[in-house]
Amino acid sequence: MDSYRPPIKDMMFVMHQILDWKRLAQVKKGDIDQEMSLNILTAAGKLASEVLAPLNHSGDRQGCSFQNGEVKTPQGFRQAYAAYRDNGWNSVSFDPQFGGQGLPRTLSFPIQEMWQSANLAFGLCPLLNQGAVESIELHASELQKQVFLTKLISGEWTGTMNLTEPQAGTDLGAIRTQAQRQPDGSYRLSGQKIFITYGEHDFSSNIIHSVLARTPNAASGSKGLSLFIVPKYIPDDQGGIGRRNDVVCSGIESKLGIHASPTCVMNYGEHKGALAYLVGEEMGGLKCMFTMMNNARLSVGLQGVAVAERAYQKALTYAREDRIQSAPIERKPGQPVHIIEHPDVARMLLEMKSQIEAGRALAYEAAYYLDLSRSSDAAAQARVDLLTPVVKGWCTDMAVRVTERGKQIHGGIGYIEASGVPQYIRDANILTVYEGTNGIQAQDLLFRKILRDEGQAARAYFDEGAMLISALKKSAVSSDIIALLENALAELVRVTSWVLKTSDIRALAGICVPYMNLFGLVAGALLMGRSLLALVSQDTTAWNKARIASAVFYMWHILPQYQGWTTTIVQGSTALWHNHTAHFA
């Protein structure tokens, strides 16, 4: 089956040439230079390519098994997790006070990308654990941090997020799980959660669940929710494994993709109630939950880049090395050639490559501002908030497009499971759904991130884009490309102004997704513009030429879609009208 080659040079280029690494180093007060970054990524790439990637397709075929409340992951996964944990990879970006390495997120994102590219189903366990750590780190009591953080950060224990219930998906206000306060200050929790990733597994000795529940007399809706820590095994006085808690996995889902990742139904309190510890204050769960959710959304956007990269690598190898068919159109009749020499196949490969590069830069840029925001930089936090739904929504939609394009390059063989191609398509499809569907991301972008602050964060972003265009005009970049980018940004600014002036909420709700698509499209183009600015003054190596070609392709083949999106948003906003259900008579 196909191998995985970590795109370390591309990762290094984004970190150290597109982003302002010097500013980050000043904020993080670290001495992580390019050489150290390269050494870290090289070591991570070795684990990803040699340990995790070979298990990707076998894990998909074998899947997880469930019996008597226990889940067994596919052959080799448990050993792979031990190698991941024992080599310290789980602790990369966490607080050194609790055993973390304190590396910037801007560096941990390329590492995460490798795990997700190599083996998406495996990478979901560390991703969910990351959310649990962040929630406890920011909102839990000092005692809770002492008990849980060290083992979660080391990877000895793993964490989950428990939000969804059969009747409560996007609408968290419909959650029914109950938590009753006990005389000693703990709680007893009862209820059922569904779609819980790695809710039960055989990687770690304990699983720490972060569970949203409702206390008696709590306010109705989502404002009445509280967050609780519910361990599978209750820690003893020494911080080790104690007695089993009243929580059990009652089954795992049969899914379209990510077969090697157990998606669990979790039952709490079938007997006396699961022992639970309140995080923060009662009815403060929504704030704690969004800490987990927002950063997880960035990681899911990164998963989109990762799965797309893996699909691209396979398609490139097939087109360049494996498949010979037909003479070139300009040399017929003639000898058949590798299909990469056919212009339309090259076009599809460049579609994949250019969108992946734009998505990678966008995801890393969000991680960069997340790092800056940790120093109480309000402007950086506003940028993270603005980019989060775009990264999640645009990058995962991109993954669906790119993986499908990989199938097209393979032709009929790409529809056959044995080729490995369908797994990427199946795996990519979940990314547009979990951690909030992409429709929800689009609503978040338009209503919470654009309208709520009256476009302030967006205008700051657009101003930086204008500064980039000014710099490009002084460079050797083609004036035609600069004009195209300038027009696209101007249209995004115009559409955003229209959104801010429009009072018809239902009309706006109908064009949230087109607006997110437009924003992501232009954001990717701006980052490709930064790539060109960095590259045009460098030596014309083969790699540099390839990056320039990719950026130019994005400008001429991908960016022009902005014209269609602007028309849809402004002119098509009334196409749903108000009685939109009447359209389906």
Side-chain angles (χ1 to χ4, degrees):
M1 200 57 71
D2 57 306
S3 59
Y4 167 61
R5 303 173 300 282
I8 293 175
K9 193 164 186 176
D10 291 278
M11 295 169 168
M12 290 287 292
F13 175 74
V14 176
M15 286 194 299
H16 291 281
Q17 295 193 54
I18 293 182
L19 302 176
D20 188 352
W21 189 266
K22 291 181 179 178
R23 180 184 176 191
L24 178 64
Q26 291 172 351
V27 171
K28 294 295 289 184
K29 296 181 173 60
D31 56 354
I32 303 172
D33 56 16
Q34 291 198 44
E35 182 179 0
M36 184 175 292
S37 298
L38 179 59
N39 290 339
I40 292 170
L41 295 187
T42 301
K46 185 177 177 66
L47 181 71
S49 60
E50 297 180 7
V51 177
L52 301 182
L55 299 173
N56 190 43
H57 294 300
S58 62
D60 180 67
R61 291 193 299 271
Q62 183 180 348
C64 296
S65 62
F66 174 78
Q67 189 173 10
N68 299 324
E70 294 187 355
V71 172
K72 290 191 181 298
T73 53
Q75 185 175 358
F77 271 57
R78 187 177 181 185
Q79 293 79 7
Y81 181 80
Y84 161 85
R85 178 197 63 218
D86 295 346
N87 284 284
W89 292 112
N90 199 67
S91 63
V92 166
S93 63
F94 296 131
D95 189 344
Q97 180 182 351
F98 299 100
Q101 299 177 44
L103 297 179
R105 284 296 172 85
T106 312
L107 180 55
S108 73
F109 257 45
I111 297 170
Q112 282 188 52
E113 183 191 329
M114 292 185 202
W115 310 148
Q116 311 300 338
S117 262
N119 195 321
L120 180 69
F122 175 92
L124 277 165
C125 186
L127 189 156
L128 271 297
N129 185 66
Q130 176 180 299
V133 168
E134 289 167 344
S135 177
I136 293 172
E137 190 175 53
L138 292 176
H139 302 291
S141 68
E142 288 303 316
L143 177 60
Q144 290 168 344
K145 292 178 185 179
Q146 293 297 330
V147 171
F148 295 106
L149 277 185
T150 299
K151 287 184 169 61
L152 285 170
I153 287 173
S154 71
E156 182 180 343
W157 296 353
T158 60
T160 70
M161 294 167 58
N162 282 235
L163 283 66
T164 306
E165 298 180 8
Q167 78 294 336
T170 299
D171 183 9
L172 295 176
I175 283 176
R176 297 173 185 164
T177 297
Q178 295 288 317
Q180 295 277 350
R181 186 177 173 87
Q182 305 299 302
D184 65 356
S186 66
Y187 289 75
R188 291 286 174 176
L189 190 140
S190 59
Q192 185 184 77
K193 298 289 184 178
I194 63 171
F195 302 158
I196 307 307
T197 304
Y198 278 92
E200 177 63 31
H201 58 82
D202 54 5
F203 285 179
S204 61
S205 59
N206 202 1
I207 303 172
I208 311 303
H209 302 289
S210 298
V211 186
L212 276 180
R214 196 176 300 281
T215 54
N217 304 317
S220 61
S222 59
K223 292 183 179 179
L225 297 174
S226 303
L227 184 69
F228 297 89
I229 295 172
V230 186
K232 177 180 176 180
Y233 291 98
I234 300 166
D236 58 25
D237 293 339
Q238 287 74 45
I241 297 296
R243 60 187 173 87
R244 177 68 186 258
N245 206 353
D246 188 8
V247 52
V248 63
C249 173
S250 61
I252 59 175
E253 305 289 353
S254 177
K255 309 185 295 291
L256 175 67
I258 53 169
H259 294 151
S261 168
T263 302
C264 303
V265 178
M266 303 300 300
N267 290 345
Y268 293 89
E270 292 186 340
H271 302 291
K272 295 182 179 180
L275 183 63
Y277 307 100
L278 178 68
V279 177
E281 300 178 349
E282 284 193 13
M283 296 191 291
L286 207 60
K287 178 181 178 181
C288 301
M289 182 275 294
F290 272 114
T291 296
M292 294 189 290
M293 184 67 77
N294 284 335
N295 290 349
R297 286 172 172 172
L298 288 178
S299 293
V300 172
L302 182 66
Q303 285 184 317
V305 175
V307 176
E309 172 67 34
R310 188 75 186 270
Y312 165 69
Q313 289 190 15
K314 184 168 182 61
L316 179 63
T317 299
Y318 183 78
R320 189 164 58 188
E321 301 175 14
D322 299 339
R323 183 64 168 168
I324 297 175
Q325 180 175 288
S326 303
I329 193 167
E330 75 277 11
R331 297 205 303 267
K332 287 188 175 180
Q335 290 296 317
V337 295
H338 288 98
I339 61 172
I340 196 170
E341 294 194 36
H342 300 302
D344 192 56
V345 174
R347 176 191 61 81
M348 290 189 286
L349 286 166
L350 277 168
E351 271 188 12
M352 299 172 80
K353 183 175 187 285
S354 64
Q355 291 180 89
I356 291 165
E357 289 174 1
R360 176 178 292 117
L362 186 59
Y364 289 15
E365 182 181 39
Y368 171 82
Y369 281 103
L370 185 60
D371 280 326
L372 298 183
S373 72
R374 296 298 170 87
S375 62
S376 301
D377 185 331
Q381 184 60 58
R383 181 63 56 84
V384 174
D385 294 341
L386 178 69
L387 292 179
T388 295
V390 182
V391 170
K392 199 284 184 182
W394 192 79
C395 290
T396 58
D397 280 344
M398 176 271 290
V400 173
R401 294 192 301 270
V402 165
T403 54
E404 194 284 332
R405 190 60 78 219
K407 178 205 70 182
Q408 193 72 16
I409 290 169
H410 280 80
I413 195 66
Y415 199 68
I416 305 302
E417 281 287 350
S419 71
V421 174
Q423 182 187 353
Y424 303 129
I425 298 171
R426 291 186 283 102
D427 285 357
N429 267 271
I430 186 56
L431 305 180
T432 65
V433 175
Y434 61 28
E435 305 304 340
T437 66
N438 284 358
I440 293 299
Q441 306 309 311
Q443 290 186 38
D444 179 50
L445 173 64
L446 195 146
F447 289 113
R448 290 197 179 100
K449 308 302 165 58
I450 301 296
L451 294 180
R452 182 172 290 180
D453 77 344
E454 299 180 341
Q456 185 175 342
R459 277 191 288 271
Y461 183 78
F462 301 153
D463 288 345
E464 284 191 15
M467 291 172 61
L468 169 65
I469 290 169
S470 295
L472 285 167
K473 288 178 178 178
K474 300 174 184 176
S475 73
V477 174
S478 162
S479 59
D480 289 339
I481 286 177
I482 298 169
L484 175 62
L485 181 59
E486 189 170 27
N487 290 338
L489 178 61
E491 282 294 270
L492 178 57
V493 172
R494 181 179 73 85
V495 167
T496 303
S497 297
W498 175 85
V499 164
L500 289 165
K501 294 174 184 176
T502 301
S503 58
D504 190 337
I505 298 300
R506 290 180 69 83
L508 290 177
I511 52 86
C512 287
V513 169
Y515 181 79
M516 180 184 71
N517 290 338
L518 174 63
F519 202 113
L521 186 72
V522 176
L526 289 171
L527 287 160
M528 287 306 225
R530 283 198 223 170
S531 297
L532 288 171
L533 190 62
L535 290 166
V536 291
S537 61
Q538 296 182 12
D539 294 336
T540 54
T541 64
W543 186 87
N544 285 0
K545 287 181 179 179
R547 284 287 313 209
I548 290 172
S550 181
V552 169
F553 182 92
Y554 186 98
M555 296 302 190
W556 290 122
H557 284 255
I558 309 298
L559 181 57
Q561 297 168 19
Y562 81 87
Q563 298 172 74
W565 289 124
T566 56
T567 300
T568 296
I569 294 164
V570 178
Q571 303 300 328
S573 61
T574 58
L576 285 171
W577 304 106
H578 290 281
N579 187 23
H580 57 272
T581 56
H583 298 323
F584 307 102

